[in-house]
Amino acid sequence: MRYKVVSMGDALKEFLNKSRFKPRLMEVRIQENWEQVVGKTIARYTESVQLFDNKLVITTTVAPLKQELNYSKDRIIRLVNEMLGEEIVKEVMIR
């Protein structure tokens, strides 16, 4: 019986895609790169960024920022998915 030779990187990617850890890893990647995705000003006033079932939940107490983020939902989805390299975020919720 022959086994297919796969690189360590490809094997790790395949494992992560099939594991239950993938959503949490995507959430951590979003949190780490949040400032580069939305800019310093927005990142400074954002309290938390969480990922639940392909929904990105952004929490802030600054009312004008909430309004700005509501207008930019499509742009945020596009930028985050580009940063991740795959279509993970389908919806943005502002709290």
Side-chain angles (χ1 to χ4, degrees):
M1 188 155 130
R2 287 194 169 223
Y3 292 102
K4 187 170 99 176
V5 177
V6 180
S7 72
M8 182 62 94
D10 290 341
L12 187 57
K13 283 180 186 177
E14 186 176 334
F15 170 74
L16 289 176
N17 283 335
K18 292 179 181 179
S19 77
R20 61 187 175 103
F21 299 114
K22 184 176 180 177
R24 179 66 181 131
L25 290 172
M26 291 297 141
E27 180 179 345
V28 170
R29 283 185 61 197
I30 293 169
Q31 291 169 349
E32 288 177 349
N33 295 300
W34 184 242
E35 185 176 315
Q36 286 130 4
V37 172
V38 295
K40 283 186 177 186
T41 306
I42 293 175
R44 181 182 308 142
Y45 295 107
T46 303
E47 292 180 11
S48 71
V49 179
Q50 299 171 317
L51 186 64
F52 299 108
D53 298 325
N54 296 338
K55 295 177 187 172
L56 187 66
V57 180
I58 305 168
T59 306
T60 183
T61 57
V62 180
L65 179 58
K66 285 182 184 181
Q67 193 68 24
E68 174 83 23
L69 292 172
N70 273 317
Y71 289 134
S72 302
K73 285 183 178 181
D74 292 333
R75 181 175 169 266
I76 292 169
I77 292 170
R78 182 177 47 81
L79 291 172
V80 169
N81 285 333
E82 284 177 7
M83 183 267 302
L84 294 173
E86 56 185 298
E87 197 79 20
I88 297 292
V89 178
K90 307 279 187 212
E91 184 180 343
V92 173
M93 297 173 58
I94 313 298
R95 290 189 180 165

